[in-house]
Amino acid sequence: MKQEKKRNSFSGSIGFVLAAAGSAVGLGNIWRFPYLAAKDGGGLFLVLYLILALTFGFTLLTTEVAIGRKTKQSPLTAYGKINEKWKPLGIIACLVPVIIMPYYCVIGGWVVKYLIAFLTGEGKQAAEDGYFTGFITADVEPMILLCVFLFAVAFIVFRGVNKGIEASSKIIMPLLLLLVIGISVFSLTIKHTDEAGVVRTGMEGFRIYVIPNFEGLTVQRFFTVLLDAMSQLFFSLSVAMGIMISYGSYVQDDANLGKSINQIEFFDTLVAFLAGVMIIPAVFTFMGREGMEASGPSLMFVSLPKVFAAMGKVGNIIGAMFFAMVLFAALTSAVSVMEAVVSSFMDEFHVSRVKAAVIETVIALAGGILVCLGYNKLYFELELPNGSVGQILDIMDYISNNALMPVVAIGTCILIGWIVKPNMIIKEVEKSGCTFGRKRLYVVMIRFIAPVLLVVLLLKSIGILTII
Ligand code: PHE
């Protein structure tokens, strides 16, 4: 009889928790969470986010990790192993990281560029108007930096589960947390007088961030905030893209899943919250309330460099620390995206890790080059169904995040909630002898509440539902 090759596994809970938290903590925590919190009236968003994390997020994360551990398969093959007819869902779940990987690496390259700029004392230039556009529309530089980032990720994945993913997370994640805490403390202590003589402090900005603002709160607005929090959480936990299934498949059978999942959620939420503490007070102090309207790339690569420049000499150091931290966050997330694809290729086509990693690197490189060209030779403007205008990067982001991810999550809820029944997941969590806390909540969430919320989210993100 052919002996199945033994699957790798994380050496212990800490390795798993740090690797999964490394995936969860990414660009979304840094450039989207603080912006949404500021836009949605501070505290209210934070409270809703927390409630959703403990209910909705917990349900999806537990489900995926348990599917991975039970089937010992990666996304492409795991769904089919649970139920033969559901194999196509695995294909979509694997397609998501295939689409995300190229553009995530392009953005990773941008982060490398800014880190180098601040390390070499060029922070001031980076803050000038047109610097960012000039850089991303250049012919070769973005492609070279894409390669730097992609090859670093590929190297870690190529080294394998223990020597690559686990070992790198154990070094990077504590460093990341240290940087986040350091910059947050600095941000709270700053003070600035603008040209009009108005004095603003970091603490005032912090208050805007955390104190709930119920002004003009209507039922409709409440739902907008709720949906913002939900879509953010969904992206932030790295669910619905196969990642947590493939990491789950490396968790040992005697590990306490419930405890690990709580720790992952705690880590992810803590870093998201602290990202707000780093960014909101600093932006508020130096740019006032208007400065807080930016999010995504324009917050990170346009507004923040201006804030660092306004800090004077210390701005170069803080800027370098900041972009080092962002690079760490992006690296561990990209590693998880690549691993989801690589493990899928290994399980489906029975190829070696090296071969699978090389194939995925080539795909990501080709896609990444296309994304870079989208800003110069292939430039066009396309209006997306949700009203925004974008280039190749935005289109890939739109297809994966707005359309495919909710579909994967809805499919997962139906498969587990109604076809194979939630007991399968509960048994999997409890098999190591630990209790499944919030069991009843889990069943109600996976069968009823999560799919309904997800359908609403899908309708909103593809532009069909427009009232909230
Ligand atoms: N969860 C990550 C974040 O919050 C994002 C991510 C996206 C991670 C894609 C992996 C893959 O930024």
Side-chain angles (χ1 to χ4, degrees):
M1 207 171 86
K2 199 172 136 232
Q3 186 80 34
E4 268 288 308
K5 213 171 129 233
K6 200 176 166 308
R7 198 176 186 80
N8 276 318
S9 60
F10 289 117
S11 64
S13 297
I14 298 186
F16 166 57
V17 170
L18 290 180
S23 172
V25 173
L27 296 169
N29 296 55
I30 301 161
W31 76 25
R32 194 148 170 267
F33 184 92
Y35 156 79
L36 287 176
K39 170 175 95 67
D40 287 340
L44 177 63
F45 175 87
L46 298 181
V47 170
L48 286 178
Y49 186 90
L50 219 60
I51 295 173
L52 283 171
L54 295 171
T55 53
F56 177 75
F58 150 81
T59 301
L60 295 181
L61 192 56
T62 306
T63 305
E64 292 202 5
V65 174
I67 290 179
R69 188 171 77 168
K70 183 175 171 63
T71 59
K72 299 276 180 294
Q73 295 291 309
S74 51
L76 186 54
T77 44
Y79 287 99
K81 186 153 183 188
I82 292 177
N83 184 320
E84 194 52 48
K85 289 204 200 91
W86 285 70
K87 169 114 203 193
L89 189 59
I91 299 176
I92 309 176
C94 176
L95 195 61
V96 177
V98 170
I99 299 175
I100 291 179
M101 187 66 189
Y103 75 82
Y104 211 80
C105 289
V106 171
I107 301 174
W110 298 351
V111 177
V112 174
K113 164 82 181 173
Y114 276 71
L115 174 61
I116 295 172
F118 279 92
L119 280 177
T120 52
E122 276 185 23
K124 273 232 152 9
Q125 284 95 300
E128 278 162 20
D129 288 332
Y131 182 88
F132 179 57
T133 319
F135 161 61
I136 63 167
T137 54
D139 284 333
V140 260
E141 204 184 358
M143 291 191 199
I144 294 176
L145 293 171
L146 150 72
C147 292
V148 171
F149 185 84
L150 172 61
F151 293 157
V153 175
F155 179 71
I156 295 175
V157 171
F158 155 82
R159 302 252 308 155
V161 177
N162 301 107
K163 287 200 200 118
I165 301 172
E166 189 175 338
S168 61
S169 309
K170 281 184 173 164
I171 302 169
I172 292 179
M173 294 313 282
L175 273 178
L176 181 138
L177 200 57
L178 220 63
L179 283 169
V180 168
I181 293 173
I183 303 170
S184 298
V185 171
F186 175 80
S187 198
L188 290 175
T189 56
I190 48 180
K191 187 173 170 182
H192 178 70
T193 314
D194 66 13
E195 287 117 43
V198 183
V199 183
R200 282 189 298 265
T201 65
M203 277 315 280
E204 285 174 70
F206 180 68
R207 264 180 243 123
I208 297 179
Y209 177 39
V210 291
I211 297 176
N213 174 8
F214 295 114
E215 213 179 85
L217 186 67
T218 56
V219 174
Q220 188 186 355
R221 207 175 129 60
F222 176 82
F223 278 105
T224 308
V225 178
L226 184 74
L227 231 60
D228 275 351
M230 195 173 95
S231 68
Q232 172 61 17
L233 176 68
F234 185 58
F235 183 71
S236 192
L237 285 177
S238 300
V239 286
M241 43 180 123
I243 291 173
M244 291 300 171
I245 295 183
S246 90
Y247 275 10
S249 74
Y250 304 133
V251 176
Q252 286 169 1
D253 283 327
D254 57 0
N256 184 335
L257 274 194
K259 199 165 143 205
S260 301
I261 283 161
N262 288 340
Q263 290 168 345
I264 297 163
E265 280 208 90
F266 178 75
F267 206 124
D268 184 50
T269 309
L270 178 72
V271 175
F273 176 74
L274 288 177
V277 182
M278 287 189 289
I279 293 172
I280 295 180
V283 171
F284 172 76
T285 305
F286 290 99
M287 303 176 96
R289 277 191 177 258
E290 312 82 73
M292 287 161 44
E293 271 150 34
S295 76
S298 74
L299 169 70
M300 187 168 310
F301 301 113
V302 181
S303 304
L304 285 176
K306 288 194 198 310
V307 170
F308 298 135
M311 288 176 181
K313 273 215 156 32
V314 68
N316 260 325
I317 300 169
I318 299 292
M321 282 169 69
F322 179 82
F323 283 105
M325 182 275 298
V326 178
L327 183 63
F328 290 160
L331 254 182
T332 45
S333 291
V335 163
S336 72
V337 183
M338 187 163 188
E339 179 62 23
V341 182
V342 166
S343 59
S344 289
F345 289 172
M346 287 166 69
D347 290 341
E348 173 79 50
F349 308 114
H350 303 286
V351 290
S352 68
R353 172 168 287 274
V354 182
K355 207 168 188 179
V358 170
I359 296 172
E360 168 56 4
T361 306
V362 172
I363 299 174
L365 189 61
I369 290 174
L370 203 65
V371 170
C372 291
L373 289 174
Y375 292 105
N376 56 38
K377 299 217 169 43
L378 301 178
Y379 187 84
F380 59 81
E381 287 179 4
L382 183 84
E383 190 176 328
L384 297 167
N386 65 356
S388 64
V389 174
Q391 283 75 53
I392 297 177
L393 188 149
D394 308 277
I395 296 170
M396 290 167 86
D397 185 54
Y398 182 83
I399 295 173
S400 54
N401 292 327
N402 293 32
L404 297 183
M405 279 171 60
V407 168
V408 172
I410 294 168
T412 309
C413 288
I414 296 173
L415 174 64
I416 300 299
W418 298 93
I419 314 282
V420 295
K421 303 283 154 47
N423 225 1
M424 185 196 104
I425 301 294
I426 296 172
K427 270 213 203 111
E428 179 59 34
V429 173
E430 290 185 334
K431 97 175 164 198
S432 59
C434 56
T435 46
F436 188 129
R438 291 173 276 176
K439 203 184 298 184
R440 247 196 267 139
L441 173 82
Y442 175 79
V443 176
V444 176
M445 283 304 294
I446 192 97
R447 301 190 76 177
F448 305 102
I449 304 179
V452 171
L453 287 175
L454 285 161
V455 169
V456 175
L457 180 73
L458 176 65
L459 294 179
K460 184 180 177 196
S461 52
I462 57 176
I464 294 178
L465 189 74
T466 48
I467 45 164
I468 40 177

